[in-house]
Amino acid sequence: MMQNVHLAPETDEDDLYSGYNDYNPTYDTEELENDTAFQQAVRTSHGRRPPITAKIPSTAVTRPVATGYGSKTSLASSMGRPMTGAIQDGVTRPMTAVRAAGFTKAALRGSAFDPLGQSRGPAPPLEAKNEDSPEEKIRQLEKKVNELVEESCIANSCGDLKLALEKAKDAGRKERVLVRQREQVTTPENINLDLTYSVLFNLASQYSANEMYAEALNTYQVIVKNKMFSNAGRLKVNMGNIYLKQRNYSKAIKFYRMALDQIPSVHKEMRIKIMQNIGVTFIKTGQYSDAINSFEHIMSMAPNLKAGFNLILSYFAVGDQEKMKKAFQKLIAVPLEIDEDDKYISPNDDPHTNLVIEAIKNDHLRQMERERKAMAEKYIMTAAKLIAPVIETSFAVGYDWCVEVVKASQYVELANDLEINKAITYLRQKDFNQAVETLKMFEKKDSRVKSAAATNLSFLYYLENEFAQASSYADLAVSSDRYNPSALTNKGNTVFANGDYEKAAEFYKEALRNDSSCTEALYNIGLTYKKLNRLDEALDYFLKLHAILRNSAQVLYQIANVYELMEDPNQAIEWLMQLISVVPTDSRALSKLGELYDGEGDKSQAFQYYYESYRYFPSNIEVIEWLGAYYIDTQFCEKAIQYFERASLIQPMQVKWQLMVASCFRRSGNYQKALDTYKDIHRKFPENVECLRFLVRLCTDIGLKEVQEYATKLKRLEKMKEIREQRIKSGRDGSGGPRSRREGSAGSDASYVDPLGPQIARPKTAAKKRIDEDDFADEELGDDLLPE
């Protein structure tokens, strides 16, 4: 068989299969820039000539005959252009095909490797935008509208509601211009509905934030009625909220239900919130049964704290005790979904782990967890205090039931707080013994609860002025929790009550070191330094307290009082003015202002504030006395009468007020009324020498016969007085000087305190002389002489 096999001779004949791995570079357009023949054809008219049609149909390009490996002859085309892939003048034309990036035969023939085409030079510059084109104007206007909406939202978040509304209105105006321009340039289908929706929604929100509810409702109606806006029906919730603020509860419920119908069931959380709004609205309208249905549905589908608490309120309103208990148990069972505190305790001494725990111990997530837990405790405590007095026969039994339920839940630590609230409830009911007994049960509990109970016991005993017991329980509270500022403050109070002001100040300082915002300690240490006459330090602490409690009337008064003690009346007046801006009806502050202005010599301002003080509290004797004296000094004795009459009603056993009434009648020329008043005073106080003296004087001036009777009584009283004074003098050992006579008696040269102005002391020598001479003219006698 081998004879029929012929081996191919090893000659230079062409391989029949050569050339199939080569590609035809006809379509290599990327290398046309390097094709000299092509570039020459483009630059000359050679490339613009029409193609030449072959005369002979059989003039097709034939495959070159190969003479060896890689050696082949290329033929020219009918146009005289070298064939693609041919070699001309030693340069091979670039070829195109699916090839690996950059790996071509040209690289093997000395061309540079440039896969990114960097040798071509920089790209030509971009064409400049035509800012005058309608499309560009629309684009810029749309950008401006978006910026205005964003600025409006930022202004709202910063609290500048007016600016937010102005920006929203401006965005609305520009958006309408944008819509008109779009309609002129493009079809209505190309209008940006999302931008229109956002502009209208923001405008409605800003109207609502500025309490322009009618405008907000109109804007929401525009959105809701436009069928082109998808999911616009949800905004009916916002409309319901506006009606709720306007107390239009029926419409609020209507819109809430319409929104609920348009929200699919897959949006469970949104539906629950709307149902919660419906329940709250039913509570406001007093429809508790409907509210109960809403909250019961929420607690069965997705229980939460607010719905549970509102359910308890609804059952409390209808008085259903058993349902209140079940609702309280449901509230206790609501999961908090927060991490345990053990997560923030390092299990080992790994520095990396400690660093991570330290970083997350007070981050935003941890703060949110604390807030959620505090809110849950607040709801539970409030609900327990609400239902405890009504779910059982007595509030004590009700509290005990609540405590047992709380102990069996995740809120075990609240049980002790409920017990302390039970004691506080006893205090409100004035049952101090039960309160003390309840608090004493905590003496064997843990340190935190023991400290809180001992603090309350110390406060109770302090109020009952049992300072020894108060001090004992204050010591127990401090020993249980050295960092309890309330316990340290109570201990300072007990020491203050015993007069040890320096030691009390130390306890107050320690309380402030533990809690710098403890207002009780700040106030008490200010009082302590005021007692020690360290006014500068007292003022510093009161000013610190004022920075915390800006509108506290007590703090403002103490600051004014300290300035008064420092003899700075102007500053005292300024702080008292701030005080009456907080409590404009405080008669004590008004009278103090009058006193300061009087000390400054400003009688008109003093009269204004004294009169205001009298209007709000017409029983202050000092204010009444000053006003009466003011009218006498200004020669308006008739107006002074009403004030002294009121003083005589307040202090009927003080004869001086009735004597002042009679004196005002006499000064105003109404002698008959003055005589009747003196006679009435004589019947009530028959041993009053001043009354008899003026009776003798008036009867003499008028010419009445009773003058002799009153003169006889006056002499007898004066004689009895002299005998009494002689007996007192004879009983002495002679160590003291002669006892001065009573004011108003004959022969006395001492000064007397004028009842019309307690700060004025006047000599009465001239008055005594005229009385001895029986000269009873009113203008010569001067002011009345009254006893101390």
Side-chain angles (χ1 to χ4, degrees):
M1 296 179 60
M2 294 296 297
Q3 60 186 355
N4 298 323
V5 176
H6 300 279
L7 297 176
E10 296 181 1
T11 61
D12 292 338
E13 295 180 357
D14 292 338
D15 188 3
L16 296 177
Y17 299 99
S18 64
Y20 288 99
N21 292 330
D22 298 332
Y23 66 92
N24 194 338
T26 305
Y27 304 104
D28 189 3
T29 58
E30 294 182 359
E31 298 294 335
L32 291 179
E33 293 181 359
N34 300 325
D35 189 346
T36 55
F38 177 77
Q39 294 296 331
Q40 180 67 26
V42 170
R43 286 193 292 269
T44 63
S45 62
H46 179 78
R48 292 194 292 272
R49 289 186 301 171
I52 301 175
T53 306
K55 295 181 180 180
I56 302 174
S58 60
T59 56
V61 179
T62 60
R63 183 175 180 270
V65 179
T67 59
Y69 290 104
S71 62
K72 44 189 176 287
T73 305
S74 58
L75 301 179
S77 65
S78 59
M79 295 175 58
R81 182 168 176 249
M83 291 180 59
T84 305
I87 302 176
Q88 187 176 14
D89 297 332
V91 179
T92 305
R93 291 191 60 203
M95 297 181 291
T96 58
V98 180
R99 56 187 174 162
F103 295 97
T104 63
K105 289 185 177 181
L108 300 176
R109 288 187 286 270
S111 61
F113 177 74
D114 187 15
L116 300 179
Q118 296 178 357
S119 60
R120 304 179 207 171
L126 298 175
E127 295 182 2
K129 291 183 179 180
N130 187 6
E131 297 183 357
D132 295 332
S133 64
E135 292 80 4
E136 183 63 25
K137 289 182 179 179
I138 289 174
R139 193 178 299 109
Q140 292 297 327
L141 189 57
E142 184 173 338
K143 182 180 179 182
K144 181 62 177 177
V145 171
N146 281 315
E147 290 176 355
L148 286 172
V149 172
E150 184 177 353
E151 291 172 3
S152 174
C153 296
I154 293 174
N156 183 282
S157 64
C158 296
D160 195 346
L161 302 180
K162 291 184 178 180
L163 178 61
L165 180 58
E166 290 300 324
K167 294 287 185 181
K169 288 180 178 180
D170 195 11
R173 288 190 292 267
K174 284 184 168 40
E175 194 274 335
R176 288 191 291 272
V177 174
L178 174 63
V179 170
R180 287 195 293 269
Q181 290 187 6
R182 278 188 182 276
E183 290 176 348
Q184 294 174 1
V185 175
T186 62
T187 59
E189 290 78 7
N190 294 330
I191 295 176
N192 191 346
L193 291 177
D194 292 338
L195 181 62
T196 305
Y197 180 88
S198 63
V199 168
L200 290 174
F201 178 63
N202 179 60
L203 180 61
S205 300
Q206 303 307 334
Y207 275 134
S208 179
N210 284 271
E211 299 183 358
M212 301 171 66
Y213 297 129
E215 292 82 354
L217 289 172
N218 292 335
T219 309
Y220 279 128
Q221 285 287 0
V222 172
I223 301 175
V224 171
K225 290 182 178 180
N226 193 335
K227 302 300 182 182
M228 300 179 68
F229 295 138
S230 60
N231 298 325
R234 299 185 180 186
L235 295 182
K236 291 182 179 178
V237 177
N238 294 18
M239 300 175 72
N241 292 338
I242 292 176
Y243 282 121
L244 184 64
K245 292 177 182 178
Q246 292 179 333
R247 300 187 178 182
N248 192 344
Y249 301 124
S250 59
K251 280 198 172 183
I253 294 173
K254 174 184 174 182
F255 276 89
Y256 285 144
R257 285 177 169 170
M258 291 168 64
L260 193 63
D261 293 338
Q262 296 186 9
I263 293 178
S265 57
V266 293
H267 297 158
K268 182 179 176 182
E269 186 176 353
M270 186 69 176
R271 292 177 62 86
I272 290 296
K273 290 182 178 179
I274 295 175
M275 291 192 67
Q276 191 159 323
N277 284 7
I278 293 174
V280 171
T281 311
F282 276 131
I283 289 179
K284 289 182 177 292
T285 59
Q287 298 174 258
Y288 299 112
S289 58
D290 294 327
I292 288 171
N293 293 333
S294 297
F295 293 129
E296 283 283 6
H297 178 74
I298 294 172
M299 293 301 290
S300 63
M301 297 295 294
N304 61 77
L305 294 169
K306 290 183 178 180
F309 182 73
N310 288 332
L311 182 60
I312 293 175
L313 290 181
S314 302
Y315 282 130
F316 178 81
V318 298
D320 195 333
Q321 298 179 355
E322 292 301 322
K323 292 291 182 66
M324 274 189 269
K325 290 183 178 181
K326 292 180 180 179
F328 186 74
Q329 290 172 337
K330 289 181 181 179
L331 178 64
I332 290 287
V334 172
L336 279 181
E337 298 178 354
I338 62 175
D339 295 326
E340 299 294 333
D341 292 338
D342 297 340
K343 174 183 176 181
Y344 302 98
I345 299 176
S346 177
N348 49 40
D349 295 333
D350 183 14
H352 179 70
T353 304
N354 294 337
L355 187 62
V356 172
I357 291 176
E358 191 67 28
I360 67 174
K361 189 179 293 184
N362 199 32
D363 61 355
H364 292 294
L365 179 60
R366 179 60 174 161
Q367 292 175 7
M368 186 187 72
E369 290 177 348
R370 289 194 189 122
E371 291 174 1
R372 183 179 296 179
K373 186 176 181 181
M375 182 179 69
E377 293 176 354
K378 176 184 176 183
Y379 281 139
I380 293 170
M381 292 292 293
T382 307
K385 289 188 286 185
L386 179 68
I387 67 174
V390 296
I391 58 176
E392 297 292 348
T393 54
S394 66
F395 89 92
V397 181
Y399 260 108
D400 292 338
W401 181 87
C402 293
V403 168
E404 292 301 323
V405 173
V406 170
K407 283 182 179 179
S409 69
Q410 55 183 328
Y411 305 98
V412 182
E413 64 275 6
L414 290 182
N416 293 324
D417 296 335
L418 281 174
E419 289 281 2
I420 292 178
N421 273 304
K422 180 181 175 182
I424 294 173
T425 308
Y426 277 125
L427 286 178
R428 291 197 180 101
Q429 296 180 353
K430 308 298 183 183
D431 193 348
F432 295 101
N433 295 328
Q434 285 291 339
V436 171
E437 290 298 325
T438 305
L439 291 172
K440 283 183 177 179
M441 293 191 303
F442 292 95
E443 293 182 5
K444 297 182 180 179
K445 297 290 182 71
D446 58 38
S447 59
R448 185 185 69 84
V449 180
K450 184 194 297 183
S451 178
T455 301
N456 288 326
L457 283 170
S458 173
F459 176 69
L460 283 176
Y461 284 120
Y462 183 84
L463 292 180
E464 294 179 350
N465 292 328
E466 298 183 17
F467 299 125
Q469 287 279 11
S471 179
S472 173
Y473 278 103
D475 290 335
L476 177 61
V478 172
S479 62
S480 301
D481 185 2
R482 187 69 187 180
Y483 301 100
N484 185 351
S486 300
L488 292 166
T489 302
N490 280 354
K491 180 60 180 177
N493 291 345
T494 58
V495 176
F496 184 95
N498 293 327
D500 192 350
Y501 303 125
E502 292 286 353
K503 192 173 182 181
E506 291 300 321
F507 280 109
Y508 295 141
K509 285 181 179 178
E510 187 174 356
L512 289 173
R513 282 194 292 270
N514 295 330
D515 183 5
S516 60
S517 63
C518 182
T519 54
E520 294 82 3
L522 279 171
Y523 187 82
N524 291 352
I525 196 172
L527 293 179
T528 304
Y529 282 132
K530 197 167 77 166
K531 281 281 188 182
L532 294 170
N533 203 30
R534 293 158 64 175
L535 300 179
D536 291 331
E537 295 177 68
L539 183 61
D540 288 340
Y541 281 105
F542 282 131
L543 289 174
K544 289 179 183 177
L545 185 56
H546 175 65
I548 301 174
L549 306 175
R550 302 296 299 180
N551 295 322
S552 173
Q554 291 180 328
V555 177
L556 291 171
Y557 178 79
Q558 291 296 338
I559 294 174
N561 184 247
V562 171
Y563 274 120
E564 182 185 4
L565 295 176
M566 296 171 70
E567 298 181 356
D568 190 349
N570 294 327
Q571 282 290 338
I573 289 172
E574 181 179 341
W575 284 96
L576 284 174
M577 293 295 289
Q578 294 187 38
L579 173 59
I580 63 173
S581 67
V582 176
V583 280
T585 60
D586 190 333
S587 62
R588 184 69 180 272
L590 291 167
S591 65
K592 177 59 70 173
L593 265 174
E595 179 183 339
L596 290 174
Y597 275 117
D598 188 28
E600 291 293 298
D602 193 343
K603 294 289 184 181
S604 61
Q605 285 285 354
F607 170 75
Q608 176 185 347
Y609 288 108
Y610 271 123
Y611 182 73
E612 288 293 317
S613 174
Y614 174 78
R615 283 180 58 230
Y616 291 117
F617 184 61
S619 300
N620 190 331
I621 291 295
E622 295 178 357
V623 174
I624 291 172
E625 186 174 8
W626 192 94
L627 288 171
Y630 175 80
Y631 279 118
I632 289 179
D633 289 342
T634 54
Q635 306 298 321
F636 291 102
C637 300
E638 300 86 350
K639 292 185 177 181
I641 293 173
Q642 60 173 332
Y643 295 103
F644 293 126
E645 286 179 343
R646 180 172 289 275
S648 65
L649 291 175
I650 297 171
Q651 296 180 346
M653 301 308 295
Q654 288 286 339
V655 66
K656 68 176 183 178
W657 306 122
Q658 301 179 43
L659 288 172
M660 291 305 303
V661 172
S663 173
C664 290
F665 281 126
R666 180 173 54 82
R667 289 170 180 271
S668 60
N670 194 345
Y671 296 109
Q672 185 60 44
K673 191 68 176 177
L675 181 62
D676 295 339
T677 305
Y678 280 124
K679 288 181 178 180
D680 186 55
I681 296 171
H682 180 64
R683 283 193 297 271
K684 294 178 182 178
F685 305 95
E687 295 185 358
N688 188 273
V689 177
E690 284 75 15
C691 179
L692 282 173
R693 184 177 295 119
F694 286 109
L695 276 173
V696 171
R697 180 174 180 176
L698 282 175
C699 291
T700 303
D701 290 344
I702 299 175
L704 299 179
K705 297 180 180 180
E706 294 94 337
V707 63
Q708 190 62 37
E709 176 186 354
Y710 293 128
T712 304
K713 290 181 180 181
L714 177 61
K715 290 180 181 179
R716 185 172 64 250
L717 283 175
E718 289 179 346
K719 187 174 182 180
M720 290 174 60
K721 182 179 178 181
E722 290 177 0
I723 294 172
R724 191 183 305 115
E725 290 178 351
Q726 288 177 2
R727 288 177 180 175
I728 294 172
K729 184 186 292 186
S730 62
R732 293 178 179 175
D733 296 332
S735 59
R739 189 170 183 266
S740 60
R741 294 187 173 184
R742 286 185 65 189
E743 292 182 71
S745 59
S748 175
D749 292 332
S751 298
Y752 76 104
V753 178
D754 186 357
L756 302 181
Q759 73 280 6
I760 304 172
R762 299 180 181 177
K764 67 168 198 172
T765 308
K768 193 281 174 181
K769 177 180 179 182
R770 289 177 176 81
I771 291 173
D772 290 343
E773 295 174 352
D774 292 333
D775 185 0
F776 299 113
D778 290 336
E779 64 274 13
E780 298 292 337
L781 181 63
D783 294 329
D784 296 328
L785 307 180
L786 301 181
E788 294 263 349

